[in-house]
Amino acid sequence: MWKYWSSFTDVIFTNPAATDTVKDDHEKQQQDSYVGSNDENIDRGNWTNKREYMLSMIGYAVGLGNVWRFPYLAYKNGGGAFLIPYVIMLAVAGIPLFFLESSFGQFCSQGPVNVWRALPIFQGVGVAMVLVSTLVGIYYNVIIAYSLYYMFASFQSPLPWSDCFYWSNSNCSLTPREVCNNTLAANWSEPVIVANMTLWENETCPKENIISIPVQSPSEQYWDLVALQRSSGLDETGPVVWHLALCLLLGWLLIAAALYKGIKSSGKVVYFTATFPYVVLLILLIRGVTLEGARDGIEFYIGSQSNLTKLSEAEVWRDAATQIFYSLSVAWGGVTALSSYNKFHNNVFKDALTVCLTNCGTSVFAGFAIFSILGHMAHVYGKPVSEVAQAGFGLAFIAYPDALSKLPISPLWSILFFFMLLTLGLDSQFAGIEVISTCLQDAFPERFKSKRSIISVGTCAILFLLGLPCVTQAGIYWVTLMDQFCAGFVLLIAALLELVGVFYFYGGNRFIKDIEMMIGTRSSLFWLWWRACWFFITPAVITVILVWSLLTFRPPSYGTVQYPAWGVALGWCMIAFCLIWIPLVAIWKILCAQGNPWQRMCAVCSPVEGWGPYLEVHRGGRYTDGQRYYRKNSLHLPDNNVYHISNHLTRL
């Protein structure tokens, strides 16, 4: 038992990058299918080419939120005026964090846990990121399962949610229902349903006596009664919804197949999954702008009805900062993990800028495609766009499917839309699972070196089993609960500690010199903006968002369904489970250090012995003097040079 516990603690508490012996480079390269002949790092492998890395990064950053959250936020917060705080928050928070994480991973060629060998006391931050990615991966694939189910359901005409069919109840209606409740006249002693102010005994019902009866659209009832088979609340779990369970299994099989050989296989898949959404968005936009009412939808989104006075409201700025933060997927560990497979001298700054701008441009572009068709839907129903615009699940699985069902050849548009959601989700999941695989590989490089496929398949299988409660009749409540808690406070705290650790403990000037080792020396004027953001502006923005989120916190709900107290408590427990590793790891590191209390603190707040670029050929300048071990695993070194890699870390 102690042997297995020691192996577990090695993942977090030791220097797993070190190993006692080194095999012949070319033998290992032949054994490991995830290492290419042109890779400079034959221990971990590199991206086959720059395109695969960029497409993977774009696919990771551009996710479902770009389609179902940003357009609604823009409409809600002043339309085109919302772009002003959005761009500002991108410059002061989004790009600096993305640049930081991608540089950190590329410099040391390690995942989100092992990068903190630069500052051992903060290694728990990396553990928290991995745990968040794991929890998010569980429910995120359930959303992919929803997309798969709707895509398969779209292969029929008419679309099953286009009308109130056999599965609906009496509350389903395509048109509003109204009753006339006038008890003053004898012939109106009973409430009578009228449609469009029809006559009753040659008279119309007085306007003040008309009462609207709440009804549900066919798409809303299809989502609740057929797709989800939704129960009354979190307390009523109900059985597994098997069509969703099978779609969940299919989703995990697709991910396992794409990650079978790590980045070497997923890098090929993203050629399609990262580009196809743009094709679909362009098709939907072209079709949407030709529809009657599209102009009204676009104007509500970002047109002439933009409201500049909204910029005076603090909530608009908070929404902009929050959307930027979550849209770029920073503090999840995925950016660090993917960039760790870059070659050392890759221009990480240019890549970070390109990915961030592409991500935000996609959000704006997607809004035109979404609101042009919602405008047509509002025109058909005779309602203002504000009454049909929704966000999240309501947009993706109720409002937009309803709008698509009004189009000619509606199954085609529906298939394209849900296939686009599928590819958007898969790209993000690839990176999420890669975080787990990378950390395991970095923790036990010799044990898992030739077992990359087993790690990927095993991780997917375990997460599939853990996701089964999310496809029960109460599944949507679990998905909402995990989304609100797991993808919220933990990420903000992790990002804040990441900035504090790197720039106030590790040293901002040292980190900038590390970056210059990769991309070359830059002028002090170039670094002026990044220093200001990393040291002051970005931490301040994150702190404001965190405090505001805590002060304005409301218990989660799904529609009108409130969560029980134990459900809210469970959400806080998930947050605590992720964050508790930060102090636990810090305490463990201090206890394992040597010397008096001050010496221990100095030790855990300094890089471990051997910290720096992964390969010896890149360990120039200050990383060559006084180093105790070297890595031989570089194609630039002759085969007969064998270096001993010490596993003893004096500062741990």
Side-chain angles (χ1 to χ4, degrees):
M1 179 64 70
W2 176 253
K3 177 182 69 174
Y4 295 105
W5 171 251
S6 299
S7 297
F8 171 73
T9 57
D10 282 345
V11 178
I12 302 169
F13 303 126
T14 64
N15 171 22
T19 178
D20 293 333
T21 59
V22 180
K23 296 181 181 179
D24 181 81
D25 291 348
H26 298 290
E27 281 184 15
K28 290 198 287 185
Q29 187 170 323
Q30 292 173 357
Q31 294 172 359
D32 302 325
S33 58
Y34 63 86
V35 176
S37 58
N38 294 324
D39 292 351
E40 69 177 15
N41 188 331
I42 67 170
D43 272 344
R44 304 178 78 254
N46 297 108
W47 293 100
T48 302
N49 54 57
K50 183 68 169 285
R51 290 188 301 275
E52 294 184 6
Y53 166 67
M54 292 299 293
L55 288 174
S56 297
M57 274 294 203
I58 291 172
Y60 178 48
V62 177
L64 296 171
N66 297 73
V67 173
W68 75 14
R69 179 171 168 80
F70 173 83
Y72 177 80
L73 284 179
Y75 147 74
K76 169 190 168 187
N77 291 308
F82 182 69
L83 293 181
I84 297 175
Y86 186 71
V87 171
I88 292 175
M89 290 302 167
L90 171 66
V92 302
I95 297 177
L97 276 170
F98 201 94
F99 184 24
L100 160 65
E101 292 194 356
S102 53
S103 300
F104 210 11
Q106 180 175 309
F107 177 72
C108 63
S109 299
Q110 295 288 287
V113 174
N114 268 22
V115 292
W116 289 106
R117 293 173 60 242
L119 201 63
I121 197 172
F122 278 80
Q123 199 162 26
V125 175
V127 177
M129 291 180 179
V130 175
L131 291 176
V132 167
S133 289
T134 303
L135 292 175
V136 170
I138 293 172
Y139 78 80
Y140 201 85
N141 220 48
V142 176
I143 302 175
I144 293 177
Y146 296 157
S147 303
L148 279 168
Y149 173 75
Y150 267 79
M151 185 182 72
F152 293 141
S154 300
F155 283 92
Q156 50 188 308
S157 184
L159 290 172
W161 53 83
S162 61
D163 207 340
C164 298
F165 295 114
Y166 66 93
W167 43 262
S168 62
N169 57 34
S170 59
N171 200 36
C172 178
S173 176
L174 284 168
T175 57
R177 290 180 182 175
E178 298 173 331
V179 296
C180 183
N181 188 17
N182 190 337
T183 58
L184 298 178
N187 57 347
W188 280 350
S189 59
E190 298 291 335
V192 180
I193 295 178
V194 296
N196 298 325
M197 297 297 291
T198 57
L199 296 178
W200 178 259
E201 295 188 359
N202 297 325
E203 295 185 29
T204 59
C205 180
K207 185 177 181 180
E208 62 272 12
N209 294 328
I210 296 177
I211 301 175
S212 297
I213 298 179
V215 295
Q216 290 181 309
S217 66
S219 61
E220 186 176 357
Q221 286 213 345
Y222 186 85
W223 169 244
D224 285 335
L225 302 180
V226 181
L228 298 179
Q229 299 179 16
R230 181 164 65 91
S231 65
S232 60
L234 195 62
D235 294 308
E236 184 185 352
T237 301
V240 170
V241 181
W242 286 106
H243 59 256
L244 290 181
L246 291 175
C247 290
L248 180 64
L249 176 62
L250 177 58
W252 281 118
L253 288 175
L254 291 173
I255 293 169
L259 294 174
Y260 188 75
K261 293 183 179 179
I263 61 170
K264 294 299 184 184
S265 54
S266 67
K268 303 298 185 293
V269 176
V270 294
Y271 278 107
F272 176 76
T273 57
T275 56
F276 183 75
Y278 291 96
V279 176
V280 176
L281 285 174
L282 181 61
I283 293 173
L284 291 176
L285 176 61
I286 294 173
R287 183 66 184 100
V289 296
T290 63
L291 298 171
E292 196 171 3
R295 181 188 180 93
D296 295 334
I298 292 175
E299 287 191 350
F300 263 86
Y301 165 53
I302 207 168
S304 60
Q305 301 193 28
S306 297
N307 185 4
L308 289 173
T309 61
K310 282 277 190 177
L311 298 181
S312 62
E313 300 178 13
E315 186 177 359
V316 174
W317 293 84
R318 185 197 67 172
D319 284 346
T322 303
Q323 176 62 17
I324 283 291
F325 188 83
Y326 295 127
S327 177
L328 290 175
S329 302
V330 291
W332 301 74
V335 175
T336 304
L338 294 181
S339 62
S340 71
Y341 296 101
N342 278 333
K343 293 184 178 180
F344 186 77
H345 291 294
N346 174 64
N347 192 335
V348 65
F349 168 71
K350 184 174 69 175
D351 294 347
L353 203 60
T354 301
V355 173
C356 292
L357 294 178
T358 301
N359 172 76
C360 296
T362 302
S363 297
V364 177
F365 178 62
F368 287 100
I370 296 297
F371 268 85
S372 61
I373 292 182
L374 288 183
H376 174 67
M377 175 184 173
H379 173 78
V380 171
Y381 281 135
K383 297 180 178 180
V385 179
S386 58
E387 292 187 16
V388 300
Q390 300 184 50
F393 297 115
L395 173 64
F397 300 107
I398 298 177
Y400 209 71
D402 191 7
L404 293 175
S405 69
K406 304 296 185 290
L407 302 180
I409 327 177
S410 55
L412 172 63
W413 308 115
S414 185
I415 291 168
L416 286 175
F417 175 71
F418 288 110
F419 193 41
M420 177 190 70
L421 292 186
L422 170 64
T423 54
L424 286 171
L426 286 177
D427 284 335
S428 299
Q429 278 291 78
F430 292 162
I433 304 306
E434 192 62 50
V435 170
I436 303 172
S437 302
T438 297
C439 289
L440 289 174
Q441 180 186 351
D442 291 343
F444 307 105
E446 293 304 316
R447 187 176 305 175
F448 290 143
K449 188 169 183 59
S450 58
K451 299 181 177 63
R452 187 59 181 264
S453 57
I454 297 176
I455 295 175
S456 299
V457 173
T459 301
C460 292
I462 293 172
L463 295 185
F464 164 71
L465 295 175
L466 292 175
L468 287 177
C470 295
V471 290
T472 61
Q473 291 183 347
I476 189 64
Y477 304 116
W478 287 107
V479 171
T480 304
L481 181 73
M482 297 175 72
D483 182 58
Q484 178 158 343
F485 282 98
C486 296
F489 298 113
V490 179
L491 297 178
L492 292 171
I493 294 173
L496 183 60
L497 291 177
E498 187 175 42
L499 286 164
V500 171
V502 172
F503 293 99
Y504 287 93
F505 285 82
Y506 179 73
N509 292 332
R510 176 191 289 180
F511 184 68
I512 288 173
K513 290 179 181 178
D514 290 344
I515 297 176
E516 289 184 334
M517 288 179 64
M518 297 184 291
I519 66 174
T521 304
R522 296 291 193 272
S523 66
S524 57
L525 186 62
F526 172 86
W527 291 114
L528 181 62
W529 170 253
W530 302 109
R531 288 177 191 274
C533 289
W534 285 331
F535 278 98
F536 307 110
I537 302 176
T538 308
V541 169
I542 295 176
T543 302
V544 170
I545 298 173
L546 178 60
V547 173
W548 193 326
S549 299
L550 288 171
L551 293 177
T552 60
F553 173 79
R554 294 186 182 91
S557 62
Y558 181 80
T560 59
V561 179
Q562 299 298 317
Y563 279 66
W566 67 266
V568 178
L570 184 60
W572 287 110
C573 287
M574 286 189 283
I575 292 178
F577 173 70
C578 295
L579 294 179
I580 194 65
W581 292 95
I582 298 175
L584 284 181
V585 173
I587 293 171
W588 178 269
K589 292 290 186 181
I590 293 172
L591 292 176
C592 292
Q594 299 177 359
N596 59 44
W598 175 251
Q599 290 173 329
R600 291 174 181 235
M601 285 300 299
C602 290
V604 298
C605 292
S606 303
V608 302
E609 185 177 353
W611 159 255
Y614 191 91
L615 300 177
E616 188 223 350
V617 69
H618 299 137
R619 300 176 67 86
R622 63 188 185 283
Y623 289 103
T624 56
D625 298 331
Q627 298 303 314
R628 300 290 182 86
Y629 68 89
Y630 303 88
R631 288 185 175 84
K632 178 247 183 188
N633 295 326
S634 168
L635 293 179
H636 301 278
L637 300 177
D639 291 339
N640 57 358
N641 288 340
V642 178
Y643 296 89
H644 177 70
I645 303 178
S646 172
N647 198 34
H648 177 67
L649 298 177
T650 58
R651 282 200 284 262
L652 294 177

